[in-house]
Amino acid sequence: MQTPAPRSAISLLLALAAALLLTLPARAVVVRGTVTTPLGTPLGNARIQLIQGRRVVAFTFTLMDGTYELRSGLPGRFVLLTSASPFTPSIGDAFCGGRTAIVTRNLVLEYATVTPQLATTSTAIPTPIQQVPAAITLIPAQSLETQINLLNDLRQAPGTNAIQTGQAGGPISLYLRGGSPDANKILIDGIPATNIGGPFDFTPLATTALTGPEIYRGANSALQGTGAEASIVSLATTRSNFLHPTLDYTGDAGNLHTYRNEAILSGTFKRLDYQAAFSRLNTSNALPRDQFHLITSTANIGYTIFTNTTARFTLRNADSAAGLPQAHDLYGISASGKQSDQDLYSGITVENVLAGNWHNLARYGVSRKREQEQQFDRTGNATINGILVPHVTYGNVVILRGANGYSATGQAAFLSPTLDNVHNRDELYYQTDYTFPYRISALFSFHYEDERGRLYNPTTGFNQQAQRTNFQYTLQLQGDLHHRIFYSFGGAIERNHLYGTAGTPRLGLTYVPVLPGHRAFHGTSLRANIATGVQEPTLEDQFTSLDTLLAQTANQSAIATYNIHPIAAQRSRTFDVAVDQNILNQKLILKAGYFHNQFSHQLERLAPNGLEQYFNIPANIALQVPAASLNSLAYRTQGLELELQYQPLTHLFLRAGYTYLASLVEQSFTSDNVSPAFNPDLPGIPIGALSPIVGNRPFNRPPSTGFFAAQYTASRFSAAIKGALASRSDDSTFQLHNDRNGGNTLLLPNQNLDFGYAKLDLNLLFSATRHVTAFTQLDNLLSQQHIGPIGYPGLPFTIRAGLKIRIGGN
């Protein structure tokens, strides 16, 4: 008979086995985090579901401190579905998790209201928009479903004035709160996309695989460095959440020989998510010699290296070509020319979250931009600005009428650009941010840029190149007190290749005296934000700076004699205060604000008479110097912004806004301010032929702009009508000494020269099946063509219709 093991030995073996099991890693993915309201208050009893594919693999409810924890023995790709009354259910971004992974996901639930969710341009940390002190507009991606570019939706935000010079393919410039188009920082997948020195044309930017833009109104060079002098517009390529390969095809056609095709392939495979897109747009426009085509290719590929570490590659490439009919109404005929653009933006980003509260990001990005302009039909000679210019073409005799009631009759010489410009940039960006107890977050970032550019004019032989190396260090702190007071402050030190070292502080505060609720007028938020911005000179400004030109014309000694300094940074200071007020049950919200912007040390071109007038440079020296760049322009803008959002029914959303802008040129040394031009047919009226006169408004800044939108959305049908409105604005015909006799008969007074307009657009979508959607887009229902600058007729009424077809997916 076998003797049984002693009880003490069995107990010891069981204890050793238990200890071994407890030390083995858990064979389950663990998801934990905190659920809060938009104001950061912990939300208890919220339901959290862990979704894999079409099934719920785990669910739980948050504790009273808002924390939760979910476990699943299945590895793979998950999403979180969160719900709690009276908030809108939230579907989070997809993530990968292994059996031993610990994933942290903090969630924010929004009220069942018309306000959007997270913003990142203000602080580089995703923050509920109710906590952000700055003025930000988030345009949803759904608004772009039937659009071919961003022009219509850029006008659907307070403080914006988007201008297209000409028809499709003509340059699209953005004026924000009265700032110049060069003063906006444009980011595509986090990569700076502007030309060197700030200019950016939205025309080659298609909506293919593009999320809705996030528009930050105000300076923020503390975070984004040079270029964020007036605003930031952040754009991103969409990413895939489909579990299976999916092909989305869109094809449409319309009047003016317009057609467009788009294909997007996307899906996921284990730790990999991928998306690739291609589109082509062709149109003839409504003017002769004005055909336009745009080819866009994009890619967005992400890979989960570890549970909380991801790598992502993005690419957006655009190739476009457009006719250059010039100012058709001024010439009476179309010029024969061509503009081509090749733009590429690409980057690799590695991102890691450690212990749920330490976030690190490193990105290497590149932008490659090239633009060529060429005019073909130049015959004959002309005298322009007192100089005999060969091979010039004149337009027909025209009667040009301005919105201010003045008119001019004559023939103008074509202003024929010929150029080949290159703007290349490589950047390295590193960011680390840590969330301390009591909801205090600190951020540090380092930004390095290597910029290389070339300006080449084959006609004149001008060919110069430049290289710049810039560094920036940023430190920022944000947090809240008792979920009522939210603060964000920081600053940057930037070392710029041209203008040296610049500091850019920023401070923002939000105070919530009345918490949001479903009772009338419950929900009041007060915001204040003050910031500074800097802008580096463009390549053209660098090559034409006054000290450079004096040295090139063998007048080096004049630099010290007349106290001439190299060009410096353009600077801005912006301040705004606002109130967001819930009026009715979180369904009717009013936003009202005041802003005041000061733009100083702005660059402008000085003619010889300006050098004599303001620097006492003798005429024999001044006449040797071409138009020179100098930081002598200053102007201010201030105004009021109003926005009303109303959701009277579940399926109906109404939105409207109005901006009043008061802008004033305070200082300018241009020739127009030394000796204004005069039209002999309009005696006694001084005209700023090339630039505004001190005391007047800057060009292209209408005092009043507005927008409205009505969106109806049902399960299978949606419709939206949108409107953009603008009052008259100051401008110039720019025809200085450019009529048939080299005179000024084609100049018109600046005040209220450009027409106001009311542009109405309509789109309809109908889902015939789960995989087929029919749509139509009708633009400019009133067929108003005086929408752009004087002389450039806009597109008349246009219509496109087509199908969206989805193959595969889930």
mmCIF file of all heavy atoms in Angstrom, residues 627-655:
data_model
loop_
_atom_site.group_PDB
_atom_site.id
_atom_site.type_symbol
_atom_site.label_atom_id
_atom_site.label_comp_id
_atom_site.label_asym_id
_atom_site.label_seq_id
_atom_site.Cartn_x
_atom_site.Cartn_y
_atom_site.Cartn_z
ATOM 1 N N ALA A 627 12.822 98.008 -57.205
ATOM 2 C CA ALA A 627 11.904 98.020 -56.059
ATOM 3 C C ALA A 627 12.461 97.155 -54.941
ATOM 4 O O ALA A 627 12.728 95.960 -55.129
ATOM 5 C CB ALA A 627 10.533 97.516 -56.491
ATOM 6 N N ALA A 628 12.656 97.763 -53.770
ATOM 7 C CA ALA A 628 13.363 97.109 -52.670
ATOM 8 C C ALA A 628 12.407 96.752 -51.545
ATOM 9 O O ALA A 628 11.473 97.500 -51.234
ATOM 10 C CB ALA A 628 14.468 98.024 -52.148
ATOM 11 N N SER A 629 12.654 95.621 -50.884
ATOM 12 C CA SER A 629 11.824 95.160 -49.769
ATOM 13 C C SER A 629 12.313 95.758 -48.464
ATOM 14 O O SER A 629 13.519 95.803 -48.199
ATOM 15 C CB SER A 629 11.864 93.636 -49.675
ATOM 16 O OG SER A 629 11.330 93.052 -50.830
ATOM 17 N N LEU A 630 11.347 96.200 -47.627
ATOM 18 C CA LEU A 630 11.675 96.812 -46.345
ATOM 19 C C LEU A 630 10.519 96.578 -45.379
ATOM 20 O O LEU A 630 9.363 96.509 -45.785
ATOM 21 C CB LEU A 630 11.914 98.311 -46.517
ATOM 22 C CG LEU A 630 12.773 98.983 -45.436
ATOM 23 C CD1 LEU A 630 14.230 98.525 -45.558
ATOM 24 C CD2 LEU A 630 12.704 100.495 -45.558
ATOM 25 N N ASN A 631 10.844 96.471 -44.080
ATOM 26 C CA ASN A 631 9.817 96.257 -43.046
ATOM 27 C C ASN A 631 9.173 97.578 -42.650
ATOM 28 O O ASN A 631 9.272 98.033 -41.505
ATOM 29 C CB ASN A 631 10.436 95.619 -41.805
ATOM 30 C CG ASN A 631 11.015 94.245 -42.065
ATOM 31 O OD1 ASN A 631 12.162 94.119 -42.434
ATOM 32 N ND2 ASN A 631 10.194 93.223 -41.879
ATOM 33 N N SER A 632 8.477 98.213 -43.569
ATOM 34 C CA SER A 632 7.943 99.553 -43.309
ATOM 35 C C SER A 632 6.425 99.620 -43.289
ATOM 36 O O SER A 632 5.859 100.701 -43.118
ATOM 37 C CB SER A 632 8.472 100.518 -44.375
ATOM 38 O OG SER A 632 8.197 100.054 -45.676
ATOM 39 N N LEU A 633 5.729 98.495 -43.441
ATOM 40 C CA LEU A 633 4.272 98.495 -43.474
ATOM 41 C C LEU A 633 3.711 98.087 -42.113
ATOM 42 O O LEU A 633 4.205 97.151 -41.480
ATOM 43 C CB LEU A 633 3.770 97.533 -44.552
ATOM 44 C CG LEU A 633 2.264 97.282 -44.612
ATOM 45 C CD1 LEU A 633 1.502 98.548 -44.990
ATOM 46 C CD2 LEU A 633 1.937 96.157 -45.602
ATOM 47 N N ALA A 634 2.682 98.799 -41.683
ATOM 48 C CA ALA A 634 1.975 98.444 -40.445
ATOM 49 C C ALA A 634 0.487 98.683 -40.658
ATOM 50 O O ALA A 634 0.093 99.697 -41.241
ATOM 51 C CB ALA A 634 2.487 99.258 -39.263
ATOM 52 N N TYR A 635 -0.328 97.754 -40.200
ATOM 53 C CA TYR A 635 -1.781 97.923 -40.271
ATOM 54 C C TYR A 635 -2.428 97.167 -39.118
ATOM 55 O O TYR A 635 -1.823 96.274 -38.521
ATOM 56 C CB TYR A 635 -2.335 97.458 -41.627
ATOM 57 C CG TYR A 635 -2.180 95.978 -41.914
ATOM 58 C CD1 TYR A 635 -3.215 95.073 -41.630
ATOM 59 C CD2 TYR A 635 -1.017 95.477 -42.494
ATOM 60 C CE1 TYR A 635 -3.081 93.734 -41.901
ATOM 61 C CE2 TYR A 635 -0.880 94.139 -42.773
ATOM 62 C CZ TYR A 635 -1.913 93.270 -42.476
ATOM 63 O OH TYR A 635 -1.781 91.916 -42.745
ATOM 64 N N ARG A 636 -3.627 97.574 -38.797
ATOM 65 C CA ARG A 636 -4.374 96.893 -37.728
ATOM 66 C C ARG A 636 -5.710 96.439 -38.254
ATOM 67 O O ARG A 636 -6.258 97.006 -39.216
ATOM 68 C CB ARG A 636 -4.577 97.821 -36.527
ATOM 69 C CG ARG A 636 -5.445 99.028 -36.810
ATOM 70 C CD ARG A 636 -5.932 99.675 -35.516
ATOM 71 N NE ARG A 636 -6.625 100.942 -35.754
ATOM 72 C CZ ARG A 636 -7.895 101.029 -36.158
ATOM 73 N NH1 ARG A 636 -8.582 99.934 -36.395
ATOM 74 N NH2 ARG A 636 -8.453 102.218 -36.339
ATOM 75 N N THR A 637 -6.241 95.424 -37.619
ATOM 76 C CA THR A 637 -7.594 94.943 -37.911
ATOM 77 C C THR A 637 -8.286 94.643 -36.592
ATOM 78 O O THR A 637 -7.662 94.156 -35.648
ATOM 79 C CB THR A 637 -7.568 93.664 -38.781
ATOM 80 O OG1 THR A 637 -6.978 92.596 -38.027
ATOM 81 C CG2 THR A 637 -6.774 93.877 -40.050
ATOM 82 N N GLN A 638 -9.539 94.957 -36.519
ATOM 83 C CA GLN A 638 -10.345 94.607 -35.353
ATOM 84 C C GLN A 638 -11.772 94.376 -35.820
ATOM 85 O O GLN A 638 -12.167 94.830 -36.902
ATOM 86 C CB GLN A 638 -10.296 95.708 -34.296
ATOM 87 C CG GLN A 638 -10.805 97.059 -34.755
ATOM 88 C CD GLN A 638 -10.733 98.101 -33.652
ATOM 89 O OE1 GLN A 638 -10.792 97.777 -32.473
ATOM 90 N NE2 GLN A 638 -10.592 99.369 -34.029
ATOM 91 N N GLY A 639 -12.527 93.672 -34.990
ATOM 92 C CA GLY A 639 -13.890 93.414 -35.419
ATOM 93 C C GLY A 639 -14.656 92.525 -34.472
ATOM 94 O O GLY A 639 -14.190 92.167 -33.379
ATOM 95 N N LEU A 640 -15.853 92.174 -34.909
ATOM 96 C CA LEU A 640 -16.782 91.346 -34.143
ATOM 97 C C LEU A 640 -17.104 90.092 -34.933
ATOM 98 O O LEU A 640 -17.280 90.136 -36.154
ATOM 99 C CB LEU A 640 -18.072 92.111 -33.846
ATOM 100 C CG LEU A 640 -17.932 93.410 -33.054
ATOM 101 C CD1 LEU A 640 -19.279 94.126 -32.980
ATOM 102 C CD2 LEU A 640 -17.412 93.127 -31.647
ATOM 103 N N GLU A 641 -17.214 88.980 -34.230
ATOM 104 C CA GLU A 641 -17.603 87.705 -34.837
ATOM 105 C C GLU A 641 -18.832 87.170 -34.123
ATOM 106 O O GLU A 641 -18.875 87.123 -32.881
ATOM 107 C CB GLU A 641 -16.476 86.674 -34.736
ATOM 108 C CG GLU A 641 -15.254 87.029 -35.552
ATOM 109 C CD GLU A 641 -14.118 86.043 -35.349
ATOM 110 O OE1 GLU A 641 -14.146 85.300 -34.349
ATOM 111 O OE2 GLU A 641 -13.198 86.035 -36.186
ATOM 112 N N LEU A 642 -19.831 86.770 -34.890
ATOM 113 C CA LEU A 642 -21.044 86.174 -34.347
ATOM 114 C C LEU A 642 -21.297 84.845 -35.055
ATOM 115 O O LEU A 642 -21.128 84.738 -36.267
ATOM 116 C CB LEU A 642 -22.255 87.087 -34.543
ATOM 117 C CG LEU A 642 -22.231 88.452 -33.857
ATOM 118 C CD1 LEU A 642 -23.426 89.283 -34.298
ATOM 119 C CD2 LEU A 642 -22.216 88.291 -32.342
ATOM 120 N N GLU A 643 -21.706 83.839 -34.295
ATOM 121 C CA GLU A 643 -22.061 82.546 -34.872
ATOM 122 C C GLU A 643 -23.226 81.955 -34.090
ATOM 123 O O GLU A 643 -23.229 81.975 -32.846
ATOM 124 C CB GLU A 643 -20.872 81.591 -34.845
ATOM 125 C CG GLU A 643 -21.175 80.251 -35.509
ATOM 126 C CD GLU A 643 -19.972 79.327 -35.512
ATOM 127 O OE1 GLU A 643 -18.914 79.712 -34.971
ATOM 128 O OE2 GLU A 643 -20.089 78.210 -36.047
ATOM 129 N N LEU A 644 -24.210 81.450 -34.810
ATOM 130 C CA LEU A 644 -25.400 80.855 -34.196
ATOM 131 C C LEU A 644 -25.554 79.436 -34.717
ATOM 132 O O LEU A 644 -25.528 79.207 -35.933
ATOM 133 C CB LEU A 644 -26.644 81.677 -34.535
ATOM 134 C CG LEU A 644 -27.899 81.408 -33.701
ATOM 135 C CD1 LEU A 644 -27.676 81.789 -32.243
ATOM 136 C CD2 LEU A 644 -29.096 82.163 -34.270
ATOM 137 N N GLN A 645 -25.709 78.484 -33.799
ATOM 138 C CA GLN A 645 -25.903 77.081 -34.156
ATOM 139 C C GLN A 645 -27.221 76.614 -33.538
ATOM 140 O O GLN A 645 -27.471 76.823 -32.354
ATOM 141 C CB GLN A 645 -24.753 76.217 -33.623
ATOM 142 C CG GLN A 645 -23.395 76.620 -34.157
ATOM 143 C CD GLN A 645 -22.258 75.841 -33.515
ATOM 144 O OE1 GLN A 645 -22.438 75.173 -32.504
ATOM 145 N NE2 GLN A 645 -21.073 75.937 -34.084
ATOM 146 N N TYR A 646 -28.048 75.978 -34.358
ATOM 147 C CA TYR A 646 -29.381 75.594 -33.893
ATOM 148 C C TYR A 646 -29.740 74.234 -34.483
ATOM 149 O O TYR A 646 -29.593 74.012 -35.689
ATOM 150 C CB TYR A 646 -30.409 76.640 -34.317
ATOM 151 C CG TYR A 646 -31.809 76.387 -33.801
ATOM 152 C CD1 TYR A 646 -32.022 75.870 -32.526
ATOM 153 C CD2 TYR A 646 -32.923 76.694 -34.575
ATOM 154 C CE1 TYR A 646 -33.304 75.653 -32.038
ATOM 155 C CE2 TYR A 646 -34.207 76.486 -34.106
ATOM 156 C CZ TYR A 646 -34.385 75.963 -32.833
ATOM 157 O OH TYR A 646 -35.667 75.744 -32.365
ATOM 158 N N GLN A 647 -30.188 73.355 -33.616
ATOM 159 C CA GLN A 647 -30.648 72.028 -34.046
ATOM 160 C C GLN A 647 -32.086 71.839 -33.549
ATOM 161 O O GLN A 647 -32.327 71.220 -32.522
ATOM 162 C CB GLN A 647 -29.735 70.932 -33.495
ATOM 163 C CG GLN A 647 -29.993 69.571 -34.113
ATOM 164 C CD GLN A 647 -28.928 68.559 -33.729
ATOM 165 O OE1 GLN A 647 -28.043 68.833 -32.936
ATOM 166 N NE2 GLN A 647 -29.010 67.367 -34.305
ATOM 167 N N PRO A 648 -33.065 72.373 -34.296
ATOM 168 C CA PRO A 648 -34.454 72.301 -33.838
ATOM 169 C C PRO A 648 -35.017 70.886 -33.883
ATOM 170 O O PRO A 648 -35.892 70.545 -33.098
ATOM 171 C CB PRO A 648 -35.193 73.223 -34.813
ATOM 172 C CG PRO A 648 -34.352 73.226 -36.042
ATOM 173 C CD PRO A 648 -32.943 73.084 -35.573
ATOM 174 N N LEU A 649 -34.529 70.079 -34.823
ATOM 175 C CA LEU A 649 -34.973 68.700 -34.974
ATOM 176 C C LEU A 649 -33.753 67.783 -35.026
ATOM 177 O O LEU A 649 -32.638 68.224 -35.306
ATOM 178 C CB LEU A 649 -35.805 68.532 -36.250
ATOM 179 C CG LEU A 649 -37.031 69.436 -36.393
ATOM 180 C CD1 LEU A 649 -37.612 69.309 -37.795
ATOM 181 C CD2 LEU A 649 -38.074 69.089 -35.333
ATOM 182 N N THR A 650 -33.992 66.507 -34.787
ATOM 183 C CA THR A 650 -32.885 65.553 -34.775
ATOM 184 C C THR A 650 -32.134 65.546 -36.091
ATOM 185 O O THR A 650 -30.908 65.443 -36.132
ATOM 186 C CB THR A 650 -33.415 64.136 -34.465
ATOM 187 O OG1 THR A 650 -34.114 64.158 -33.222
ATOM 188 C CG2 THR A 650 -32.267 63.141 -34.390
ATOM 189 N N HIS A 651 -32.861 65.694 -37.193
ATOM 190 C CA HIS A 651 -32.246 65.574 -38.512
ATOM 191 C C HIS A 651 -31.914 66.919 -39.153
ATOM 192 O O HIS A 651 -31.395 66.942 -40.270
ATOM 193 C CB HIS A 651 -33.179 64.806 -39.455
ATOM 194 C CG HIS A 651 -33.513 63.427 -38.981
ATOM 195 N ND1 HIS A 651 -32.589 62.410 -38.942
ATOM 196 C CD2 HIS A 651 -34.672 62.891 -38.494
ATOM 197 C CE1 HIS A 651 -33.153 61.317 -38.479
ATOM 198 N NE2 HIS A 651 -34.411 61.585 -38.190
ATOM 199 N N LEU A 652 -32.199 68.018 -38.473
ATOM 200 C CA LEU A 652 -32.011 69.334 -39.073
ATOM 201 C C LEU A 652 -31.010 70.146 -38.255
ATOM 202 O O LEU A 652 -31.153 70.288 -37.042
ATOM 203 C CB LEU A 652 -33.343 70.083 -39.146
ATOM 204 C CG LEU A 652 -33.303 71.470 -39.804
ATOM 205 C CD1 LEU A 652 -32.854 71.369 -41.261
ATOM 206 C CD2 LEU A 652 -34.670 72.142 -39.707
ATOM 207 N N PHE A 653 -30.024 70.694 -38.940
ATOM 208 C CA PHE A 653 -28.984 71.479 -38.295
ATOM 209 C C PHE A 653 -28.846 72.794 -39.048
ATOM 210 O O PHE A 653 -28.620 72.821 -40.270
ATOM 211 C CB PHE A 653 -27.665 70.709 -38.311
ATOM 212 C CG PHE A 653 -26.489 71.470 -37.766
ATOM 213 C CD1 PHE A 653 -26.611 72.297 -36.661
ATOM 214 C CD2 PHE A 653 -25.237 71.347 -38.343
ATOM 215 C CE1 PHE A 653 -25.544 72.989 -36.145
ATOM 216 C CE2 PHE A 653 -24.140 72.037 -37.844
ATOM 217 C CZ PHE A 653 -24.294 72.857 -36.741
ATOM 218 N N LEU A 654 -28.967 73.918 -38.322
ATOM 219 C CA LEU A 654 -28.877 75.250 -38.908
ATOM 220 C C LEU A 654 -27.673 75.970 -38.316
ATOM 221 O O LEU A 654 -27.387 75.854 -37.117
ATOM 222 C CB LEU A 654 -30.146 76.056 -38.632
ATOM 223 C CG LEU A 654 -31.471 75.398 -39.020
ATOM 224 C CD1 LEU A 654 -32.639 76.273 -38.588
ATOM 225 C CD2 LEU A 654 -31.517 75.129 -40.520
ATOM 226 N N ARG A 655 -27.006 76.731 -39.172
ATOM 227 C CA ARG A 655 -25.802 77.427 -38.721
ATOM 228 C C ARG A 655 -25.644 78.711 -39.522
ATOM 229 O O ARG A 655 -25.885 78.742 -40.728
ATOM 230 C CB ARG A 655 -24.581 76.527 -38.936
ATOM 231 C CG ARG A 655 -23.276 77.049 -38.404
ATOM 232 C CD ARG A 655 -22.239 75.925 -38.404
ATOM 233 N NE ARG A 655 -20.905 76.441 -38.134
ATOM 234 C CZ ARG A 655 -20.023 76.751 -39.071
ATOM 235 N NH1 ARG A 655 -20.334 76.582 -40.354
ATOM 236 N NH2 ARG A 655 -18.840 77.221 -38.756
#
